Amino acid sequence: MADGDGLGEAATATASPPAPAPGLSPSLGWRERLRAGLAGTGASLWFVAGLGLLYALRVPLRLCENLAAVTVFLNSLTPKFYVALTGTSSLISGLIFVFEWWYFHKHGTSFIEQVSVSHLRPLMGGTESSISEPGSPSSNRESETSRQNLSVMQKAWRERNPPARIKAAYQALELNNDCATAYVLLAEEEATTIVDAERLFKQALKAGETIYRRSQQCQHQSPQHEAQLRRDTNVLVYIKRRLAMCARKLGRIREAVKIMRDLMKEFPPLTMLNIHENLLESLLELQAYADVQAVLAKYDDISLPKSAAICYTAALLKTRTVSDKFSPETASRRGLSTAEINAVEAIHRAVEFNPHVPKYLLEMKSLILPPEHILKRGDSEAIAYAFFHLQHWKRIEGALNLLQCTWEGTFRMIPYPLEKGHLFYPYPSCTETADRELLPTFHHVSVYPKKELPFFIHFTAGLCSSTAMIALLTHQFPEIMSVFAKAVSMISRTCVEYL
């Protein structure tokens, strides 16, 4: 998570620190480009070749005579066969539909599509990855030790069993004592205290800086060395960021702020690691609101991706200027001031981006530990943000009161959030399915608030259904319904006469 300040911080980078940054893949060679160009036409070529072969063998295979025999056979079949055939087809297709519907709601994707992509793409000439990993067998300039070390760590990061991951990390350290990613894995998986984790991250930093300087010297030798430098850069940035998080958790907040600022200055393109969101949380802890506003001025831009941390922090700063004197009764009498309108609009903007956060900030739902990974605009992001930022909202007098009075007004501006948004794109409908995968089973996943149907819609629907049922019963059983109607009429008249 971008806002996290502990070792359980949710961040996709936790899963694979060595991964190169998106958009920085090395240029492919002419063979790879040729293969990629031919892959798209492979299916068409096979189809045309099959048709040509079938046309050439039409005489030896006696296709015309066999087709006529098949036609005669089909004409001789009885209607019962076609009923059985269509019934069986309908049953099988129905079972497939039910399974596809269940699989989609559980995993968020089509089972048939997933199997097709996984197993048919290699047959059509597709490749699993367009990046030539430095240190793989295709890189002839790296030593055998480096290749083995990289292979061990790639296996370790993919391993799902924690003891096996730790064992693989120690194997990598036996091959190379300067394996930074092995120290990272041990800090994440084996360390039981933040102090132990910080010690391992410092060892990783020492090894990572050595490897980074070595990669800088060789970066222009080949595309593989350029990719190696990008990967080593990502590893180094990740280690420094985790050291900043350790310092933040251990109370050395100013040290954490300095590390984050240095990272943002030294590696400005790596915004996908969300270091600025960690910086926002640390500055809020220091109550350095002017510095928080300066960071927001740079990163809360229309061209940059948003998050709950950015939107709700911006709302918190605007709420801070008016929350201590805000009163719903006073505001209803005299109206809202300009500053209060700005604060309310900022709250509406934040709620539109992630509508799940207010319930956790207002403690309408119980908080749990944030998951390892989060989904933006989802319940997982809301939990992670509220877990680390609830204290900052409580520190500002009246901030939660203003949030409680205004946050539900957002939904009047976006009556159809899945179809059209106000300040952001329509709310994605797949977040609930993804959050169920990310969050523990005991947690009741928050679903985007839906507009409740008015009473008269329920009333007219029930009235229509009941009258249709009575009409059907009257048509099928006229005598019984006549007796029933007379009995109801007699009971009603008796009750009226008694009153």
Side-chain angles (χ1 to χ4, degrees):
M1 174 186 124
D3 316 314
D5 56 352
L7 298 179
E9 159 192 13
T12 305
T14 306
S16 56
L24 297 177
S25 58
S27 58
L28 300 176
W30 67 271
R31 293 180 181 177
E32 286 77 6
R33 290 197 298 268
L34 179 61
R35 184 178 182 182
L38 293 177
T41 59
S44 302
L45 292 177
W46 278 108
F47 181 72
V48 173
L51 289 180
L53 182 63
L54 191 63
Y55 180 79
L57 299 177
R58 69 187 188 283
V59 176
L61 294 178
R62 303 174 61 186
L63 294 180
C64 296
E65 293 83 350
N66 292 333
L67 183 61
V70 171
T71 304
V72 173
F73 173 75
L74 293 177
N75 290 334
S76 64
L77 295 175
T78 62
K80 292 183 178 180
F81 172 80
Y82 290 105
V83 171
L85 178 64
T86 54
T88 305
S89 302
S90 176
L91 176 62
I92 294 175
S93 61
L95 293 176
I96 294 175
F97 167 76
V98 171
F99 175 76
E100 278 283 298
W101 180 86
W102 170 82
Y103 193 88
F104 176 78
H105 279 267
K106 183 173 179 61
H107 300 283
T109 184
S110 168
F111 175 78
I112 296 177
E113 181 181 351
Q114 185 179 21
V115 171
S116 301
V117 171
S118 301
H119 297 281
L120 296 184
R121 185 194 297 176
L123 301 178
M124 303 305 295
T127 58
E128 290 297 324
S129 175
S130 61
I131 298 176
S132 176
E133 288 284 349
S136 65
S138 63
S139 177
N140 298 323
R141 299 190 179 184
E142 294 193 2
S143 65
E144 183 66 23
T145 302
S146 299
R147 288 198 296 269
Q148 293 178 357
N149 189 68
L150 179 61
S151 176
V152 170
M153 286 311 302
Q154 286 177 337
K155 180 180 178 181
W157 287 115
R158 296 190 190 102
E159 181 62 54
R160 292 181 176 272
N161 187 18
R165 292 158 67 97
I166 296 173
K167 181 180 178 181
Y170 279 115
Q171 291 176 356
L173 288 175
E174 291 176 0
L175 294 172
N176 180 11
N177 195 40
D178 288 334
C179 181
T181 53
Y183 287 116
V184 170
L185 192 147
L186 293 176
E188 299 280 359
E189 301 284 345
E190 192 180 40
T192 56
T193 64
I194 301 175
V195 175
D196 292 339
E198 186 180 37
R199 175 181 54 81
L200 289 169
F201 277 125
K202 286 181 178 179
Q203 291 180 273
L205 178 63
K206 181 179 179 181
E209 287 177 338
T210 303
I211 298 173
Y212 177 71
R213 286 192 296 268
R214 189 185 309 155
S215 298
Q216 279 184 315
Q217 297 173 357
C218 306
Q219 60 176 314
H220 300 297
Q221 294 182 7
S222 68
Q224 286 78 18
H225 285 88
E226 293 178 3
Q228 175 76 33
L229 175 63
R230 285 193 292 270
R231 187 177 61 209
D232 293 339
T233 301
N234 285 345
V235 172
L236 182 62
V237 172
Y238 182 83
I239 293 170
K240 289 185 176 181
R241 176 171 176 261
R242 298 300 274 172
L243 280 172
M245 292 297 97
C246 290
R248 163 69 181 90
K249 197 67 176 178
L250 293 172
R252 305 195 305 269
I253 304 175
R254 297 189 182 278
E255 177 185 343
V257 169
K258 183 179 183 305
I259 296 175
M260 295 176 197
R261 289 190 185 278
D262 292 342
L263 276 176
M264 293 166 62
K265 291 178 181 178
E266 189 176 358
F267 305 100
L270 297 181
T271 57
M272 78 288 296
L273 294 179
N274 296 324
I275 302 173
H276 57 281
E277 297 184 13
N278 299 119
L279 178 61
L280 285 175
E281 197 280 328
S282 298
L283 291 174
L284 286 173
E285 180 65 22
L286 293 174
Q287 301 185 39
Y289 298 112
D291 293 335
V292 173
Q293 185 62 57
V295 175
L296 286 176
K298 182 177 180 180
Y299 290 98
D300 192 6
D301 186 81
I302 191 171
S303 61
L304 297 177
K306 299 295 182 291
S307 66
I310 291 177
C311 294
Y312 278 90
T313 301
L316 179 61
L317 290 189
K318 292 186 178 180
T319 300
R320 173 176 169 268
T321 61
V322 298
S323 60
D324 56 338
K325 299 178 182 178
F326 177 79
S327 171
E329 295 79 9
T330 306
S332 62
R333 288 196 306 268
R334 61 170 173 80
L336 296 176
S337 64
T338 303
E340 290 172 339
I341 291 176
N342 292 335
V344 171
E345 289 178 349
I347 290 175
H348 287 175
R349 171 178 177 261
V351 173
E352 181 183 355
F353 182 84
N354 193 318
H356 310 288
V357 173
K359 289 186 177 181
Y360 294 106
L361 292 179
L362 298 173
E363 300 182 78
M364 300 167 63
K365 288 194 66 176
S366 58
L367 270 175
I368 62 173
L369 287 175
E372 183 180 4
H373 305 285
I374 65 170
L375 177 69
K376 283 193 174 183
R377 306 190 73 177
D379 191 31
S380 54
E381 183 192 34
I383 292 172
Y385 172 81
F387 186 87
F388 295 107
H389 285 255
L390 177 58
Q391 56 180 333
H392 307 315
W393 282 80
K394 287 184 175 181
R395 185 180 294 125
I396 297 177
E397 183 183 357
L400 291 176
N401 178 45
L402 180 58
L403 177 68
Q404 183 176 16
C405 295
T406 57
W407 74 279
E408 290 182 333
T410 309
F411 307 122
R412 290 193 291 270
M413 300 186 301
I414 43 176
Y416 305 103
L418 301 180
E419 301 173 8
K420 184 180 180 181
H422 180 62
L423 297 174
F424 300 100
Y425 287 109
Y427 188 80
S429 57
C430 62
T431 53
E432 179 185 356
T433 304
D435 278 330
R436 292 190 187 279
E437 295 290 330
L438 295 171
L439 295 169
T441 54
F442 63 82
H443 175 70
H444 181 67
V445 176
S446 176
V447 182
Y448 188 86
K450 300 179 177 64
K451 286 179 65 68
E452 296 183 358
L453 293 176
F455 166 77
F456 282 102
I457 291 183
H458 294 284
F459 177 77
T460 53
L463 183 63
C464 178
S465 301
S466 59
T467 52
M469 182 63 67
I470 293 174
L472 179 61
L473 292 175
T474 304
H475 176 74
Q476 293 292 332
F477 312 103
E479 295 83 6
I480 297 177
M481 292 303 296
S482 176
V483 174
F484 178 77
K486 291 179 179 179
V488 171
S489 176
M490 184 179 299
I491 293 173
S492 301
R493 186 178 60 182
T494 304
C495 293
V496 171
E497 289 176 354
Y498 176 79
L499 293 175

